[in-house]
């Protein structure tokens, strides 16, 4: 077992922590950048790996990349990525602000490879996080145990691995080979023969469910696919034309003439199938890793500052920052890539301020 010490340890090398890594590299603090390590459990950086269909597009403008809204002149912009890859003319010619998902994924991998000071360790999965406490009992840092037995100790920890997949309780008893969450789609569907006449049911009405429903007709062409949607139709951040049908005069008649149990979403009927695919999103609670960490430091309810730092008291030397799971305090966009550039600036500012404060305290 190897033990290593770093200044900042970030769990996950997805868009959130990559944006922070870029901000740290551009901060002008070589000490901070050289002491920052990202852990990525996969062998590379791939955005939404199991929903990376060739036709799928990002729903967010390319201008909301990892850095442009914080530093438009950065060498890490999406436009500079396209330029270096010789793909700028082709993208401009598409006449869209929304790149293909695979193209944005390529951009993230390019950013990861372009980092000069911040290090990324691949194939590294955090198994447990424990606080390191000083003589007075305050948190002085963190000890992260990896699944391979190695230990990494840090002063500041950034958790940016996303939420845990949500499997509704009604499906929890199904055999593993009959249930596929969207987070596993491409990996799991590849294990089913294209010629198998599968009766598949897709549950959900948002983007991931719609993409699985569409992809199944290509991946399992002999299958019979049914989509179950709680609302009247597919939702795209509540602006879908399907949702707008709720306001059609004709819908009043349709709704009024429906049985009472249907109007209340209480109708029950059997639907036989071989495979259930869940586009049910992610657990709204903090990730299990964060909940377990909070329990170890005696925090009953996780609260975060404006800078996304978990409130541990003024005496804490080591900090924990949470990325992408603070919608209840920072708004619905916190889980989206739209705010990555500004959020990375907020966290960086807090990191630097805390280090400057510690230096002043020591000199005093």
């Amino acid at each position: 077992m190897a033990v290593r010490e770093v200044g900042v340890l970030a769990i996950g090398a997805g868009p959130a922590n990559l944006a922070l890594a870029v901000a740290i590299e551009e901060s002008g603090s070589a000490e901070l950048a050289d002491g920052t390590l990202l852990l990525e459990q996969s062998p590379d950086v791939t955005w939404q790996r199991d929903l990376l269909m060739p036709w799928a597009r990002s729903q967010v403008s390319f201008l909301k990349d990892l850095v442009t809204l914080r530093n438009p002149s950065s060498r890490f912009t999406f436009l500079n990525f396209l330029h270096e890859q010789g793909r700028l003319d082709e993208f401009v010619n598409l006449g869209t602000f929304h790149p293909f998902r695979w193209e944005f994924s390529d951009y993230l991998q390019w950013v990861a490879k372009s980092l000069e000071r911040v290090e990324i360790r691949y194939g590294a999965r955090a198994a447990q996080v424990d606080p390191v406490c000083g003589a007075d009992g305050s948190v002085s840092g963190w000890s992260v145990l990896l699944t391979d037995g190695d230990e990494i100790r840090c002063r500041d920890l950034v958790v940016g691995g996303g939420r845990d997949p949500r499997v509704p309780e009604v499906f929890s008893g199904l055999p593993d080979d009959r249930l596929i969450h969207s987070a596993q789609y491409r990996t799991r569907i590849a294990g089913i023969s294209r010629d198998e006449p599968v009766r598949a049911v897709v549950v959900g009405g948002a983007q991931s469910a719609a993409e699985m429903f569409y992809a199944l007709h290509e991946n399992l062409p002999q299958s019979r696919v049914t989509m179950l949607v709680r609302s009247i139709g597919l939702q795209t951040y509540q602006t879908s034309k399907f949702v707008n049908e709720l306001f059609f005069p004709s819908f009043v008649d349709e709704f009024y003439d429906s049985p009472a149990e249907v109007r209340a979403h209480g109708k029950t009927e059997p639907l036989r199938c071989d495979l259930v695919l869940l586009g049910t999103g992610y657990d709204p609670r903090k990730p299990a890793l964060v909940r377990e960490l909070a329990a170890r430091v005696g925090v009953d309810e996780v609260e975060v500052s404006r800078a996304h730092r978990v409130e541990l008291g003024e005496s804490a030397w080591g900090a924990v920052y949470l990325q992408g799971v603070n919608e209840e305090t920072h708004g619905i966009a916190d889980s989206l890539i739209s705010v990555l550039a500004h959020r990375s600036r907020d966290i960086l500012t807090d990191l630097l301020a805390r280090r400057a404060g510690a230096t002043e305290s020591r000199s005093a």
Side-chain angles (χ1 to χ4, degrees):
M1 181 183 73
V3 178
R4 179 179 177 184
E5 293 193 7
V6 298
V8 177
L9 179 65
I11 298 177
N17 280 341
L18 283 176
L20 179 60
V22 170
I24 289 174
E25 284 223 347
E26 295 182 340
S27 69
S29 173
E31 180 182 2
L32 180 62
D34 290 337
T36 297
L37 173 66
L38 273 60
L39 300 181
E40 172 54 46
Q41 63 182 351
S42 300
D44 58 17
V45 171
T46 301
W47 187 45
Q48 298 185 353
R49 184 183 306 271
D50 274 283
L51 282 176
L52 206 62
M53 274 71 85
W55 37 263
R57 286 188 181 273
S58 167
Q59 291 187 327
V60 181
S61 166
F62 72 91
L63 293 173
K64 296 180 178 181
D65 56 18
L66 304 186
V67 64
T68 295
L69 297 182
R70 177 181 60 81
N71 179 14
S73 62
S74 170
R75 69 183 181 90
F76 291 99
T77 65
F78 182 75
L79 284 181
N80 190 46
F81 155 72
L82 292 174
H83 171 68
E84 288 202 1
Q85 300 298 306
R87 286 151 52 177
L88 183 56
D89 287 340
E90 285 77 4
F91 181 79
V92 171
N93 196 50
L94 290 175
T96 179
F97 277 75
H98 305 285
F100 287 108
R101 190 177 294 153
W102 62 262
E103 194 159 36
F104 197 81
S105 181
D106 284 356
Y107 161 65
L108 297 181
Q109 181 66 75
W110 172 81
V111 169
K113 291 181 178 179
S114 301
L115 294 171
E116 295 179 347
R117 291 185 176 274
V118 174
E119 179 186 348
I120 301 178
R121 176 172 171 177
Y122 296 100
R125 183 182 179 88
Q128 182 174 313
V129 180
D130 292 298
V132 176
C133 297
D136 61 354
S138 64
V139 175
S140 60
W142 308 93
S143 170
V144 179
L145 182 65
L146 306 185
T147 54
D148 64 3
D150 285 355
E151 179 187 3
I152 301 178
R153 297 174 183 172
C154 63
R155 172 185 173 179
D156 296 313
L157 181 69
V158 184
V159 181
R163 295 190 184 276
D164 303 323
R166 185 171 73 91
V167 177
E169 186 176 352
V170 68
F171 298 110
S172 61
L174 289 182
D176 291 341
D177 63 340
R178 299 292 183 181
L179 190 69
I180 299 177
H181 190 274
S182 60
Q184 307 168 316
Y185 177 77
R186 293 183 70 228
T187 298
R188 293 284 307 281
I189 212 69
I192 302 176
S193 171
R194 286 177 54 85
D195 299 326
E196 189 172 342
V198 176
R199 294 172 299 176
V201 171
V202 178
V203 180
Q207 182 182 3
S208 60
E211 291 181 350
M212 288 192 295
F213 180 77
Y214 186 88
L216 277 169
H217 291 83
E218 176 184 351
N219 300 142
L220 301 178
Q222 304 303 317
S223 63
R224 186 178 68 197
V225 186
T226 302
M227 191 173 192
L228 299 183
V229 183
R230 178 180 299 176
S231 184
I232 182 179
L234 301 177
Q235 302 177 38
T236 307
Y237 297 119
Q238 302 300 330
T239 60
S240 165
K241 291 181 173 61
F242 290 107
V243 175
N244 286 339
E245 290 183 11
L246 287 169
F247 308 105
F248 285 10
S250 59
F251 182 73
V252 176
D253 293 330
E254 182 179 344
F255 191 79
Y256 185 83
D257 292 335
S258 299
E261 68 269 20
V262 174
R263 292 200 298 266
H265 295 296
K267 183 178 180 180
T268 302
E269 62 179 300
L271 179 60
R272 297 188 177 276
C273 61
D274 306 302
L275 186 67
V276 176
L277 300 102
L278 299 179
T280 49
Y282 293 82
D283 193 328
R285 299 175 298 172
K286 293 291 191 285
L289 181 72
V290 174
R291 300 198 305 270
E292 293 166 3
L293 182 155
R296 290 189 178 96
V297 294
V299 173
D300 296 326
E301 185 175 353
V302 177
E303 297 181 356
V304 294
S305 69
R306 176 62 183 83
H308 301 267
R309 173 162 43 92
V310 176
E311 300 289 2
L312 296 173
E314 293 299 321
S315 63
W317 171 268
V320 178
Y321 297 88
L322 304 183
Q323 296 222 60
V325 293
N326 300 319
E327 294 97 328
E328 68 274 14
T329 54
H330 290 67
I332 191 173
D334 193 66
S335 62
L336 308 177
I337 66 175
S338 300
V339 298
L340 295 183
H342 289 303
R343 186 170 66 210
S344 63
R345 180 183 60 194
D346 295 338
I347 295 176
L348 171 65
T349 300
D350 197 64
L351 283 169
L352 293 174
R354 289 176 53 249
R355 279 161 172 71
T359 300
E360 292 175 1
S361 297
R362 286 197 298 268
S363 61

